[in-house]
Amino acid sequence: MKKKVLIIEDDLISSTALEMMVTSNGFESVGRFDSADELSHLCKVNKPDLILLDIMLAGKVNGLEAAQELRKEMDTPILFITALSDSNSTKVIKSIKNSTATYKPYIEESILRKIEDILK
């Protein structure tokens, strides 16, 4: 059974590239979304094994806020894929249980290794 990945990325080119990378490496994409406003609902409906989550997104909440809210209900692993590497963002990511980050510009092999490590 394929592991399911939910992609939350507001840049169309990036989200398409991530989805192609995920599906071509044996994972199932359960959708691409440009906003994390409905992250909890999306997780309940799609039941992903992993969330690829950008921080700066379209919508009312950023990826960090959405992840913090999600942790009140579920512990789905999160891989933040972001250009934000400032100390505050890094500190918040580290405080969110069952999450890690990789930074843009990213290397596909690096993301795949992280995905595989998370989903073991």
Side-chain angles (χ1 to χ4, degrees):
M1 189 165 166
K2 290 183 178 183
K3 296 285 186 173
K4 298 189 280 183
V5 179
L6 177 66
I7 300 166
I8 311 290
E9 165 64 68
D10 63 341
D11 180 81
L12 181 61
I13 294 171
S14 293
S15 68
T16 302
L18 287 168
E19 185 172 56
M20 288 172 46
M21 177 188 63
V22 164
T23 58
S24 68
N25 283 280
F27 302 101
E28 177 185 349
S29 170
V30 293
R32 293 181 293 142
F33 300 88
D34 66 355
S35 163
D37 292 350
E38 301 292 325
L39 183 58
S40 179
H41 174 74
L42 292 172
C43 287
K44 288 175 185 172
V45 170
N46 296 295
K47 298 181 179 19
D49 297 295
L50 173 66
I51 303 162
L52 300 182
L53 182 59
D54 192 7
I55 294 176
M56 300 307 297
L57 295 162
K60 297 175 187 168
V61 299
N62 69 37
L64 295 174
E65 295 163 337
Q68 290 169 323
E69 283 300 308
L70 182 68
R71 285 296 173 259
K72 295 176 183 176
E73 299 179 44
M74 59 190 72
D75 194 36
T76 306
I78 297 170
L79 174 56
F80 288 98
I81 301 176
T82 182
L84 295 179
S85 60
D86 61 279
S87 61
N88 186 53
S89 296
T90 303
K91 182 178 167 184
V92 174
I93 290 167
K94 287 180 181 181
S95 75
I96 298 172
K97 184 181 168 197
N98 204 13
S99 72
T100 189
T102 193
Y103 299 95
K104 296 176 183 177
Y106 59 83
I107 299 170
E108 184 174 317
E109 291 173 11
S110 173
I111 291 180
L112 285 172
R113 271 195 303 272
K114 285 190 178 214
I115 290 172
E116 289 168 2
D117 288 345
I118 292 167
L119 293 177
K120 281 186 180 177

